[in-house]
Short mmCIF file of all heavy atoms in Angstrom, two decimals:
data_model
loop_
_atom_site.label_atom_id
_atom_site.label_comp_id
_atom_site.label_asym_id
_atom_site.label_seq_id
_atom_site.Cartn_x
_atom_site.Cartn_y
_atom_site.Cartn_z
N ASP A 335 52.05 137.90 38.36
CA ASP A 335 51.70 137.83 36.96
C ASP A 335 52.86 138.15 36.02
O ASP A 335 53.03 137.48 35.00
CB ASP A 335 50.53 138.79 36.68
CG ASP A 335 49.26 138.40 37.43
OD1 ASP A 335 49.08 137.20 37.66
OD2 ASP A 335 48.50 139.29 37.80
N ASP A 336 53.64 139.17 36.35
CA ASP A 336 54.73 139.57 35.46
C ASP A 336 56.10 139.06 35.93
O ASP A 336 57.10 139.26 35.24
CB ASP A 336 54.79 141.10 35.38
CG ASP A 336 53.50 141.67 34.79
OD1 ASP A 336 52.99 141.05 33.82
OD2 ASP A 336 53.03 142.71 35.28
N THR A 337 56.14 138.39 37.08
CA THR A 337 57.45 138.03 37.65
C THR A 337 57.59 136.57 38.05
O THR A 337 58.56 136.20 38.68
CB THR A 337 57.73 138.89 38.91
OG1 THR A 337 56.66 138.70 39.86
CG2 THR A 337 57.85 140.36 38.57
N ILE A 338 56.65 135.72 37.65
CA ILE A 338 56.70 134.35 38.13
C ILE A 338 57.94 133.62 37.66
O ILE A 338 58.55 132.85 38.43
CB ILE A 338 55.40 133.58 37.77
CG1 ILE A 338 55.43 132.19 38.45
CG2 ILE A 338 55.22 133.45 36.25
CD1 ILE A 338 54.10 131.48 38.46
N HIS A 339 58.37 133.87 36.43
CA HIS A 339 59.56 133.17 35.94
C HIS A 339 60.84 133.70 36.60
O HIS A 339 61.77 132.94 36.90
CB HIS A 339 59.63 133.23 34.43
CG HIS A 339 58.53 132.47 33.76
ND1 HIS A 339 58.49 131.10 33.71
CD2 HIS A 339 57.38 132.89 33.17
CE1 HIS A 339 57.40 130.70 33.11
NE2 HIS A 339 56.71 131.77 32.76
N GLN A 340 60.87 135.01 36.89
CA GLN A 340 61.98 135.56 37.63
C GLN A 340 62.00 135.00 39.05
O GLN A 340 63.09 134.75 39.61
CB GLN A 340 61.87 137.08 37.71
CG GLN A 340 62.06 137.79 36.36
CD GLN A 340 60.73 138.11 35.68
OE1 GLN A 340 59.86 137.24 35.59
NE2 GLN A 340 60.58 139.33 35.24
N ALA A 341 60.81 134.78 39.64
CA ALA A 341 60.75 134.20 40.99
C ALA A 341 61.29 132.77 41.00
O ALA A 341 62.03 132.39 41.91
CB ALA A 341 59.31 134.23 41.48
N ILE A 342 60.91 131.98 39.99
CA ILE A 342 61.42 130.62 39.92
C ILE A 342 62.94 130.62 39.78
O ILE A 342 63.66 129.85 40.45
CB ILE A 342 60.77 129.87 38.73
CG1 ILE A 342 59.28 129.67 38.98
CG2 ILE A 342 61.46 128.52 38.50
CD1 ILE A 342 58.51 129.16 37.77
N LYS A 343 63.47 131.49 38.93
CA LYS A 343 64.91 131.56 38.74
C LYS A 343 65.62 131.98 40.02
O LYS A 343 66.68 131.43 40.37
CB LYS A 343 65.23 132.58 37.61
CG LYS A 343 64.86 132.12 36.22
CD LYS A 343 65.13 133.20 35.18
CE LYS A 343 64.76 132.76 33.79
NZ LYS A 343 65.03 133.80 32.77
N HIS A 344 65.07 132.95 40.74
CA HIS A 344 65.70 133.41 41.96
C HIS A 344 65.70 132.32 43.03
O HIS A 344 66.69 132.13 43.74
CB HIS A 344 64.99 134.68 42.49
CG HIS A 344 65.77 135.38 43.56
ND1 HIS A 344 66.95 136.04 43.30
CD2 HIS A 344 65.55 135.50 44.90
CE1 HIS A 344 67.43 136.57 44.43
NE2 HIS A 344 66.58 136.24 45.41
N MET A 345 64.59 131.59 43.14
CA MET A 345 64.54 130.49 44.12
C MET A 345 65.55 129.40 43.76
O MET A 345 66.14 128.78 44.65
CB MET A 345 63.12 129.94 44.21
CG MET A 345 62.13 130.90 44.84
SD MET A 345 60.53 130.14 45.26
CE MET A 345 59.97 129.59 43.65
N LEU A 346 65.74 129.15 42.48
CA LEU A 346 66.74 128.16 42.05
C LEU A 346 68.13 128.58 42.48
O LEU A 346 68.95 127.73 42.89
CB LEU A 346 66.72 128.02 40.53
CG LEU A 346 65.62 127.12 39.94
CD1 LEU A 346 65.53 127.31 38.44
CD2 LEU A 346 65.88 125.65 40.27
N LEU A 347 68.43 129.87 42.43
CA LEU A 347 69.73 130.35 42.86
C LEU A 347 69.90 130.28 44.38
O LEU A 347 71.04 130.16 44.88
CB LEU A 347 69.95 131.80 42.38
CG LEU A 347 69.97 131.96 40.85
CD1 LEU A 347 70.09 133.45 40.48
CD2 LEU A 347 71.13 131.18 40.22
N LEU A 348 68.79 130.34 45.11
CA LEU A 348 68.87 130.25 46.58
C LEU A 348 68.97 128.82 47.07
O LEU A 348 69.42 128.58 48.20
CB LEU A 348 67.61 130.90 47.19
CG LEU A 348 67.40 132.41 46.95
CD1 LEU A 348 66.09 132.85 47.61
CD2 LEU A 348 68.58 133.21 47.51
N ALA A 349 68.55 127.86 46.26
CA ALA A 349 68.51 126.45 46.69
C ALA A 349 69.84 125.76 46.40
O ALA A 349 70.31 125.75 45.27
CB ALA A 349 67.37 125.73 45.98
N LYS A 350 70.41 125.15 47.45
CA LYS A 350 71.64 124.37 47.25
C LYS A 350 71.35 122.95 46.75
O LYS A 350 72.06 122.43 45.90
CB LYS A 350 72.41 124.27 48.57
CG LYS A 350 72.93 125.57 49.11
CD LYS A 350 73.64 125.33 50.44
CE LYS A 350 74.13 126.60 51.06
NZ LYS A 350 74.79 126.36 52.39
N LYS A 351 70.30 122.32 47.30
CA LYS A 351 70.05 120.93 46.99
C LYS A 351 68.67 120.67 46.40
O LYS A 351 68.52 119.81 45.51
CB LYS A 351 70.21 120.09 48.26
CG LYS A 351 71.61 120.13 48.84
CD LYS A 351 71.70 119.27 50.11
CE LYS A 351 73.11 119.30 50.69
NZ LYS A 351 73.22 118.48 51.92
N ARG A 352 67.65 121.40 46.86
CA ARG A 352 66.28 121.07 46.40
C ARG A 352 65.39 122.31 46.42
O ARG A 352 65.44 123.11 47.33
CB ARG A 352 65.68 119.97 47.29
CG ARG A 352 64.26 119.55 46.95
CD ARG A 352 63.84 118.30 47.73
NE ARG A 352 64.54 117.13 47.23
CZ ARG A 352 64.33 115.90 47.69
NH1 ARG A 352 63.49 115.68 48.69
NH2 ARG A 352 65.00 114.88 47.19
N LEU A 353 64.55 122.41 45.40
CA LEU A 353 63.51 123.44 45.33
C LEU A 353 62.17 122.77 45.14
O LEU A 353 62.04 121.88 44.27
CB LEU A 353 63.78 124.40 44.17
CG LEU A 353 62.64 125.38 43.79
CD1 LEU A 353 62.35 126.33 44.93
CD2 LEU A 353 63.00 126.14 42.52
N ILE A 354 61.18 123.16 45.93
CA ILE A 354 59.82 122.59 45.82
C ILE A 354 58.84 123.76 45.78
O ILE A 354 58.86 124.63 46.64
CB ILE A 354 59.47 121.68 47.02
CG1 ILE A 354 60.62 120.72 47.35
CG2 ILE A 354 58.19 120.92 46.74
CD1 ILE A 354 60.45 120.03 48.69
N PHE A 355 57.98 123.79 44.76
CA PHE A 355 57.02 124.85 44.66
C PHE A 355 55.80 124.38 43.87
O PHE A 355 55.84 123.32 43.23
CB PHE A 355 57.62 126.11 44.02
CG PHE A 355 58.04 125.94 42.58
CD1 PHE A 355 57.23 126.39 41.54
CD2 PHE A 355 59.26 125.34 42.26
CE1 PHE A 355 57.63 126.24 40.21
CE2 PHE A 355 59.66 125.21 40.92
CZ PHE A 355 58.84 125.65 39.91
N THR A 356 54.74 125.14 43.92
CA THR A 356 53.52 124.82 43.17
C THR A 356 53.20 125.95 42.20
O THR A 356 53.52 127.11 42.44
CB THR A 356 52.31 124.60 44.09
OG1 THR A 356 52.18 125.72 44.97
CG2 THR A 356 52.45 123.32 44.89
N ILE A 357 52.54 125.56 41.11
CA ILE A 357 52.05 126.54 40.13
C ILE A 357 50.60 126.18 39.79
O ILE A 357 50.20 125.02 39.87
CB ILE A 357 52.87 126.56 38.83
CG1 ILE A 357 52.92 125.17 38.20
CG2 ILE A 357 54.27 127.12 39.10
CD1 ILE A 357 53.50 125.14 36.80
N LEU A 358 49.84 127.19 39.40
CA LEU A 358 48.51 126.98 38.87
C LEU A 358 48.58 127.05 37.35
O LEU A 358 49.15 128.00 36.79
CB LEU A 358 47.55 128.06 39.38
CG LEU A 358 47.16 128.00 40.86
CD1 LEU A 358 46.33 129.22 41.22
CD2 LEU A 358 46.40 126.71 41.16
N SER A 359 48.00 126.06 36.68
CA SER A 359 48.02 126.02 35.21
C SER A 359 46.61 126.00 34.62
O SER A 359 46.43 125.77 33.44
CB SER A 359 48.78 124.78 34.72
OG SER A 359 50.13 124.83 35.14
N ASP A 360 45.62 126.27 35.45
CA ASP A 360 44.23 126.20 35.04
C ASP A 360 43.70 127.59 34.72
O ASP A 360 43.42 128.39 35.63
CB ASP A 360 43.40 125.55 36.16
CG ASP A 360 42.00 125.19 35.70
OD1 ASP A 360 41.53 125.74 34.69
OD2 ASP A 360 41.39 124.33 36.35
N LYS A 361 43.55 127.90 33.44
CA LYS A 361 43.10 129.24 33.05
C LYS A 361 41.64 129.47 33.38
O LYS A 361 41.18 130.62 33.35
CB LYS A 361 43.32 129.42 31.54
CG LYS A 361 44.79 129.48 31.16
CD LYS A 361 44.95 129.72 29.66
CE LYS A 361 46.43 129.81 29.29
NZ LYS A 361 46.64 130.00 27.85
N ASN A 362 40.92 128.42 33.71
CA ASN A 362 39.49 128.55 34.03
C ASN A 362 39.25 128.82 35.53
O ASN A 362 38.11 128.95 35.95
CB ASN A 362 38.74 127.29 33.61
CG ASN A 362 38.78 127.06 32.11
OD1 ASN A 362 38.61 128.01 31.34
ND2 ASN A 362 39.02 125.83 31.69
N ILE A 363 40.32 128.85 36.32
CA ILE A 363 40.14 128.99 37.76
C ILE A 363 39.69 130.39 38.16
O ILE A 363 39.12 130.61 39.20
CB ILE A 363 41.45 128.60 38.51
CG1 ILE A 363 41.15 128.38 39.98
CG2 ILE A 363 42.52 129.63 38.30
CD1 ILE A 363 42.30 127.77 40.74
N GLY A 364 39.96 131.36 37.30
CA GLY A 364 39.54 132.72 37.60
C GLY A 364 40.65 133.71 37.33
O GLY A 364 41.83 133.35 37.32
#
């Protein structure tokens, strides 16, 4: 909840060629 953007940034720094990930954007999911 408080670190998702930091997590995306850190994974970008770890990736040399490609990063693949999923996010949930549905506020009604719970």
Side-chain angles (χ1 to χ4, degrees):
D335 297 329
D336 299 320
T337 57
I338 187 165
H339 293 287
Q340 293 96 312
I342 293 170
K343 290 178 180 179
H344 193 69
M345 291 191 299
L346 280 167
L347 296 176
L348 296 178
K350 295 178 182 179
K351 298 179 180 179
R352 178 171 289 182
L353 169 64
I354 315 168
F355 65 100
T356 53
I357 57 169
L358 289 174
S359 297
D360 192 340
K361 292 182 179 179
N362 296 317
I363 195 170

